[in-house]
Each structure stands twice: as structure tokens, then as C-alpha cells.
Amino acid sequence: MDAARRQMLTRPLPEDRPPWDVWLIRCAEESFTVCFRSDHALRDGIAAASILRLLIDDEPGDWSPRSPPSARVSLRGVAAALGQSARAMRPLTPAPAFADAEADTPQMFHRDLPMAPLRGAARAHGATVNDVYLAALSEALHRRHQEGTHQGHPPMPVTVPLSVRGRDQATLVGNALVGVRLTLPCKDSGGVEGALHAVTAQTRRLRAIDYRGSARLVLDALPRRMGARLALRVAGAGPVGLLASNMDCGPALTLFGLPATQAQLFSAPADGLRCYTALTGYDSHARLTVVHDGSLTGMPRLGEHWVAAVRELADAPRTSETDADVVRAAPSRRTDRPR
């Protein structure tokens, strides 16, 4: 299976056919894997997951990814989207964790975890599952870097893709994503709980101004070519070094009478991208997938540190009453599924 995944990462899509294909891989007796590849310009992760469920589920239901809550786009939101665009035009120094890596064949690994610790940590700290994912990633980067250098890792910008698909748009053609840059505090966080507080503060501000809707409005208002270039620049893989996505693949399904036990979302790294991480939630199962430049060594330790950090957050004391009042007063969403 690992060999097949490497082929999917490196083998181009067919040039003489539409830019997508389906792989059926026999793993063991009564065990196989179905893989769907498509050009990112044709489908984003939500569209790919929605279409694949319709194709392979024995009894396709009416599940579709939750759409973001509607909100009035404000001047603050538009200003924030324009500010993100302006910051994306400034050069950034590559993060020490991914510096000096030369282009190489991409490598991939994954770490599995039940959804329960992620959801429990989110509830305990008044956060979202996505906040927990990013905070644990921040702490994992710090710990991996410290192991190799005995130094803390400085705060690091990371690009997070956000879907702007509505519930009735799950299968529409196109890449309906906007990007936002967040800062992972790493060594300056005061541990994984401090990292979670820092990440949550950033995402809460973005929800309060409906950054997602505002960024979509800005891109729609621009000429198509300019909007595409700007979107790519915000996702500026090279200077940022890390892109972190999060995808909910829905409830359990069956294929030819057999239960589908896990789901995984991953992408080949864009030019200049040294590391791509994807958290895929499926039923009660979560999988962190990391695709990285092959010249980066010791990367599987990043996954081990991430799992440990999530469990630490799940086992940490619950938010105090004072903190809980702040959380209840702030704009928020349900945290029972990853986003």
C-alpha cells in the first residue's frame, strides 16, 4: 500500500483523459482500498469526498459537509482579507524546521487516533477540533526541532485552507477554497495548552469578522486570473513551508457489504512546499497524514509528538469557570466534527 501511495503522489494524471482516476488496491483477503485522484483545480477535498461517497457507498445517504454559518460580510472582514493578501506579498524566511531542504521525492506517513480525544480536548478547552489539531501540531514542531537542535522553534506562519462551499454545492466543479495564514506559537506558547489558547484566539477573531465569507467576496470581485494568482500567493507554499488542512469525511459507509474502516485525504506538495499535513476525520476515527520533502529527516517523530500533544490536551484539567464565560461570550461553532 505504501508503494501505491508513493505512485499516486508522483505519477502524473493521464494527459489523454479527464484529469482524474480511481485506484482499487487489494490489501489482504476481503480488504482493499479505493483511491480517487483528481486535479485540485477540478475538485477540492470536500467535493472529492462527497463525490467518492456517492460513487462507492452501497446506500448513499444525504450526508454532505456542514456549510459554514452565514454571516453578514463586514468592512472588518474585507479589510482582514485584504491585509492577508498584502502580507502574502512580503517575503518570509523559511522556518528552521524546514530550512535547507532540497527538492526531493515526497515521502508520506500517517498516525491514527480515535476522534474522542480530539473532541474531548475541544470541549474541555472551549475550542474547536481544528484548534486542537493546530495547537498539537505547533507543540509537535517545537518538540521535534528541540530533539534535533536542543533549541526551541520560533513562531511559524502556517497556511490553512478554508472551504466556502455551501451544503447544496458539495459536488460542484471547482476549487472553492480560500486560505488564511495563522501563526503557530511553537516555543513561545508555554506548552501545548498555551499553544491552544494562542491558536484559539486567532481563529475566534476570524470567525467574529466572518473572514471566510469576506475572503470569498474579495476573490469573486477580482478578475479571474488575478484572483487565482492572489489565492495561490496567500497559500505561498515556499516561504510558509507548511500547509495544514482538515477534512470531515462523514459517517461510516459500506462498500460491497464491507465496512469502510478509515478515510485519508492527502495531496502532492506544491512547488516549494516542504511539508503538508492533513487531518481526516471519518466516523469515530481520525488520521493525521504528513507529506514532506524526502530530504527532511526524522519526520515520523512529528506524528508521534502530535498524538502525544492531543492526548495531553484531552487529559488536561477542564477550562475554569472564568475561561468558560469568555468562551461562551465569543462567537463559536459546534466542535463535534473536525472542519
Side-chain angles (χ1 to χ4, degrees), residues 173-219:
V173 174
N175 192 337
L177 294 173
V178 295
V180 64
R181 284 188 182 178
L182 301 177
T183 299
L184 302 184
C186 298
K187 72 171 184 178
D188 293 337
S189 64
V192 65
E193 289 187 69
L196 182 57
H197 293 154
V199 169
T200 302
Q202 295 177 70
T203 59
R204 195 174 291 146
R205 285 195 296 270
L206 292 172
R207 287 194 297 273
I209 62 174
D210 188 26
Y211 172 84
R212 192 187 307 246
S214 300
R216 178 76 271 175
L217 180 66
V218 170
L219 289 179

Side-chain angles (χ1 to χ4, degrees), residues 3-25:
R5 288 193 180 102
R6 283 194 295 272
Q7 288 186 50
M8 283 184 281
L9 282 172
T10 57
R11 180 181 294 181
L13 286 162
E15 295 183 359
D16 56 344
R17 301 196 307 271
W20 62 270
D21 56 20
V22 178
W23 297 44
L24 180 63
I25 304 169

